[in-house]
């Protein structure tokens, strides 16, 4: 080999020397290995792209499920609140009805004073005596 500037130029007989043949065989093996490595890396890249696509799809599915779950929780919370409001409203209405019933019952109940009871008893006695006297006069003669 001769040095021409910075580039080494091989002469004819030295290219086929055993040392050169070994170097070329090693370079060839390195090239094959590099090709296999690149092929494997390409396979890994494709695999990673599929994984990323799967992760993106799962992320979107989880996002969708999360939104659906939030909607269901909101609906459930609204129903619980409405049921509580309805229960408290029913309790309030029931209390008003009981109070109204108590007022109506107290209005229906007649409380007589002592002198009113006395007049009623005297009136009932007079009524019975008159009825008996009427029967006596009608059938007694």
């Amino acid at each position: 080999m001769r040095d021409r500037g910075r580039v080494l130029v091989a002469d004819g007989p030295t290219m086929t020397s055993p040392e050169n043949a070994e170097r070329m065989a090693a370079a060839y093996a390195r090239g094959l290995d590099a090709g296999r490595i690149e092929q494997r890396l390409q396979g890994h890249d494709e695999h990673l792209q599929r994984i990323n696509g799967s992760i993106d799809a799962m992320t979107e599915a989880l996002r969708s499920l999360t939104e659906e779950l939030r909607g269901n929780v909101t609906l459930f919370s609204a129903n619980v609140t409405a049921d509580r409001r309805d229960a408290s409203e029913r309790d309030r209405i029931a209390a008003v009805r009981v109070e109204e019933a108590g007022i109506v019952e107290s209005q229906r109940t007649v409380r007589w004073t002592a002198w009113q009871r006395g007049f009623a008893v005297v009136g009932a006695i007079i009524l019975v005596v008159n009825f008996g006297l009427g029967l006596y006069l009608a059938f007694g003669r």
Side-chain angles (χ1 to χ4, degrees):
M1 270 197 202
R2 294 181 284 169
D3 188 9
R4 287 190 188 163
R6 294 193 154 244
V7 178
L8 293 176
V9 177
D11 294 332
T14 58
M15 280 297 250
T16 59
S17 70
E19 180 183 295
N20 196 19
E22 287 176 17
R23 279 192 309 187
M24 289 185 70
Y28 179 76
R30 283 193 308 270
L32 284 178
D33 288 341
R36 281 189 223 118
I37 290 172
E38 186 166 338
Q39 185 178 9
R40 287 184 66 199
L41 287 176
Q42 182 64 33
H44 288 304
D45 286 345
E46 291 170 4
H47 181 68
L48 289 175
Q49 286 175 350
R50 281 194 308 265
I51 289 173
N52 286 340
S54 297
I55 290 173
D56 290 343
M58 289 301 294
T59 302
E60 188 60 35
L62 283 174
R63 223 178 258 134
S64 173
L65 287 173
T66 302
E67 290 302 318
E68 184 178 347
L69 184 61
R70 282 185 183 147
N72 289 340
V73 166
T74 302
L75 181 62
F76 179 71
S77 176
N79 287 340
V80 168
T81 302
D83 287 345
R84 285 183 187 157
R85 185 180 60 238
D86 291 346
S88 65
E89 186 69 18
R90 284 192 300 268
D91 291 343
R92 188 186 64 75
I93 290 171
V96 168
R97 298 279 188 231
V98 167
E99 186 178 320
E100 288 173 353
I103 291 170
V104 169
E105 186 64 31
S106 69
Q107 289 174 348
R108 283 188 191 162
T109 305
V110 177
R111 304 270 179 207
W112 288 10
T113 61
W115 63 271
Q116 288 173 329
R117 280 186 232 140
F119 277 126
V121 169
V122 170
I125 292 172
I126 292 172
L127 183 66
V128 169
V129 169
N130 280 337
F131 184 70
L133 185 61
L135 286 177
Y136 175 73
L137 290 177
F139 294 111
R141 286 192 183 173

